[in-house]
Amino acid sequence: MNQQVCSTSDITGARFTIHPMADDFVSIILGALEETDMSKVWHETDDVSSCVRGRSVHVFDTVKAVFLNASKTGKHVALNATFSNGCPGDVQGDVYLTEDDKPMNEASLSGIYQDVSVHFALYPLGSTTYMETIMDQINDAIEKGIKTKGVHYATRLDGNAHEIFAALESSFNNCLEDDSSHVVMTVTISANTPSKKGMK
Amino acid sequence: MNQQVCSTSDITGARFTIHPMADDFVSIILGALEETDMSKVWHETDDVSSCVRGRSVHVFDTVKAVFLNASKTGKHVALNATFSNGCPGDVQGDVYLTEDDKPMNEASLSGIYQDVSVHFALYPLGSTTYMETIMDQINDAIEKGIKTKGVHYATRLDGNAHEIFAALESSFNNCLEDDSSHVVMTVTISANTPSKKGMK
C-alpha cells in the first residue's frame, strides 16, 4: 500500500527513532528495546524507525522507557517521535485496546533521574481553529510550572524526563478531547548533550 | 514568547537534527555545518536542534547539504527534519526572501552518491480535505518512479539521496500550491545503517 497508513481514533501510535551518538549505538539501541516491556503495544522496527501502537497510556510509557533505558547509559542520546491519533486508516493493532491502564515500565523507570531538553509541536488536523487548540496546550504547560520557551516551529521544554513526558502526554490527550479528530505531535528530546545550554 | 513561533507564507523553514551514531559525533556535526553554505538562509542552532528559514529552494538545499556532508564520512547518520510553511506568526528572516534561485551547495554535493531510506509524512493544516492532498503527493512520487511503501503514520522512500530530496521538495511545494495555507512535512532519513534492509 502506498499511503500513510493510520489508525482509528481509539488507537494512539508513535513512530520514533532513538539515536545514541556513540560507536556502540547498536548495543545501546538493542539493549534499550530489550529492557522495555512492550507487551501492551503492537510494535514493529525497521532500519529507519520503530512504531508502537495501542492505548495512549502504553504508547507514551513505551517510548519513554526506550528513551530512558538508552539515556541511562550516560551517552548523548536523542529521541525523535511522532505521536498520532485519529488518522483515517487501518485497524491493525485493535486487539491491544483491551489492555488495562497499568503502565508496564513505570516501576523500572521511577528511579531514573534524567534532565532533558525538548522541542515539541502539536498539529491538530482537519480543523480551522487549530492554532487556538495549540495555544491552549502551551498555556496549560506553563500553568503546570513547566519551563517553556517558544522557538521557530516548536515549543521548548526543559526539566526532568518524568515531568516532561507527563506534560507531553497531557498536551496530546487534551488536544484529542478538544474536538480534534486527528492529532499529531512531534517531539525531539535530547539527553546528556555536551553542548547543553538550556533555559535558566 | 511561549508559543510555536512560525513564519509567513513566503518563508519556508526547517527545524532539524543530525545524528551521527559515532563517538566523534561532535566533529562530524560541526564539520558538516561548516562545509555547508548557509549564506542564503536565516539559521540558528541550539543544543537540541537547528533551524533554517528562507526561500524553499535554499532551505531544502541547506538541509540536504548538512546531511550529505555528515553522511559522506561513511558513519551511520540520521536526519530528522520538520519543514514548515505558512504558519501564522513572526516575520524574522524576511530579508532572505530577496535571494535569487541559485542553490549554494548543489555544485559541491553533485558528486556525492548516497543511498538513503526515508520515512516522511505530510500535514496540510487548517484544511478538511487534507487526506486527499496527501494522497495526491504520494501518487505523484509513484508516478515519478520513486520506490514508495506505506508504513504506519508515514510513507517510506528508498533511493539515491539527490532523487529522494528532489521528491520531498516537490511534494512539499505541491502541497503549498494545492490550496493549503499551512503545510508541515516531517522527514526521517537514514544513511549507512548496518541494519539496512530496504525495499527491493
Side-chain angles (χ1 to χ4, degrees):
Chain A
M1 277 167 72
N2 291 294
Q3 59 184 357
Q4 286 176 212
V5 182
C6 306
S7 70
T8 65
S9 61
D10 290 330
I11 297 184
T12 289
R15 180 163 286 286
F16 66 97
T17 52
I18 186 93
H19 300 301
M21 262 69 83
D23 286 349
D24 56 343
F25 66 93
V26 173
S27 63
I28 295 172
I29 293 172
L30 294 180
L33 290 170
E34 200 167 301
E35 281 187 90
T36 300
D37 187 328
M38 297 196 187
S39 59
K40 289 187 178 173
V41 292
W42 176 97
H43 55 98
E44 194 171 76
T45 294
D46 69 12
D47 55 313
V48 180
S49 66
S50 293
C51 186
V52 292
R53 300 166 67 247
R55 295 189 60 193
S56 190
V57 59
H58 300 307
V59 167
F60 278 91
D61 174 67
T62 304
V63 174
K64 176 180 165 182
V66 174
F67 175 71
L68 284 181
N69 286 330
S71 64
K72 75 182 183 187
T73 60
K75 296 291 174 68
H76 177 25
V77 172
L79 171 90
N80 282 274
T82 297
F83 294 86
S84 181
N85 182 296
C87 182
D90 77 336
V91 292
Q92 191 178 15
D94 259 6
V95 64
Y96 290 94
L97 295 177
T98 59
E99 300 291 348
D100 65 23
D101 273 341
K102 187 172 178 285
M104 296 305 285
N105 296 284
E106 199 51 40
S108 65
L109 301 177
S110 60
I112 302 174
Y113 184 92
Q114 179 69 59
D115 273 325
V116 295
S117 298
V118 174
H119 288 168
F120 86 107
L122 286 161
Y123 303 113
L125 288 146
S127 159
T128 53
T129 57
Y130 64 100
M131 284 304 292
E132 290 149 49
T133 306
I134 294 167
M135 288 310 300
D136 284 348
Q137 294 319 309
I138 295 168
N139 288 330
D140 192 56
I142 296 166
E143 279 167 25
K144 283 178 178 153
I146 309 281
K147 281 187 185 172
T148 72
K149 183 187 174 190
V151 293
H152 286 293
Y153 314 116
T155 298
R156 180 179 178 124
L157 306 176
D158 286 88
N160 177 285
H162 296 285
E163 178 188 54
I164 298 293
F165 267 94
L168 292 170
E169 186 173 352
S170 168
S171 291
F172 183 76
N173 289 336
N174 287 346
C175 272
L176 293 176
E177 287 162 14
D178 195 14
D179 84 16
S180 298
S181 58
H182 182 186
V183 174
V184 167
M185 180 171 75
T186 60
V187 178
T188 300
I189 308 185
S190 174
N192 309 324
T193 171
S195 58
K196 173 75 178 148
K197 46 179 180 181
M199 291 168 63
K200 301 294 174 192
Chain B
M1 279 169 70
N2 291 294
Q3 59 185 357
Q4 286 176 212
V5 182
C6 307
S7 71
T8 65
S9 61
D10 290 331
I11 297 183
T12 289
R15 180 163 287 286
F16 66 97
T17 52
I18 186 93
H19 300 301
M21 262 69 83
D23 286 349
D24 57 343
F25 67 92
V26 172
S27 63
I28 295 173
I29 294 172
L30 294 180
L33 291 170
E34 201 167 302
E35 281 187 271
T36 300
D37 187 328
M38 297 195 187
S39 60
K40 289 186 179 174
V41 292
W42 176 98
H43 54 98
E44 194 171 75
T45 294
D46 69 12
D47 55 313
V48 180
S49 67
S50 293
C51 185
V52 292
R53 300 166 67 248
R55 296 190 59 193
S56 190
V57 59
H58 301 306
V59 168
F60 278 92
D61 174 67
T62 303
V63 174
K64 175 180 165 181
V66 174
F67 174 72
L68 284 181
N69 286 330
S71 64
K72 75 181 181 187
T73 59
K75 297 291 174 69
H76 177 25
V77 172
L79 172 90
N80 282 274
T82 297
F83 294 86
S84 181
N85 182 298
C87 181
D90 78 336
V91 293
Q92 191 177 16
D94 260 5
V95 63
Y96 290 93
L97 295 177
T98 60
E99 300 291 348
D100 65 23
D101 274 340
K102 187 172 178 284
M104 297 305 285
N105 296 284
E106 199 51 40
S108 66
L109 301 178
S110 60
I112 302 175
Y113 184 92
Q114 178 70 58
D115 273 325
V116 295
S117 298
V118 174
H119 288 168
F120 86 107
L122 287 162
Y123 304 113
L125 290 146
S127 159
T128 53
T129 58
Y130 66 99
M131 284 304 292
E132 290 148 51
T133 307
I134 293 168
M135 287 310 300
D136 284 348
Q137 294 319 309
I138 294 169
N139 288 330
D140 192 55
I142 295 166
E143 279 167 25
K144 283 178 179 154
I146 309 282
K147 280 186 185 171
T148 71
K149 183 187 174 192
V151 293
H152 287 293
Y153 314 116
T155 298
R156 180 180 177 124
L157 306 176
D158 286 89
N160 177 284
H162 296 285
E163 179 189 53
I164 298 292
F165 267 95
L168 292 170
E169 185 173 353
S170 168
S171 291
F172 183 76
N173 289 337
N174 288 345
C175 272
L176 293 176
E177 286 162 16
D178 195 16
D179 84 16
S180 299
S181 58
H182 181 186
V183 174
V184 167
M185 180 172 74
T186 60
V187 178
T188 300
I189 307 184
S190 173
N192 309 325
T193 170
S195 58
K196 173 74 178 149
K197 47 180 179 182
M199 293 169 63
K200 301 296 175 194

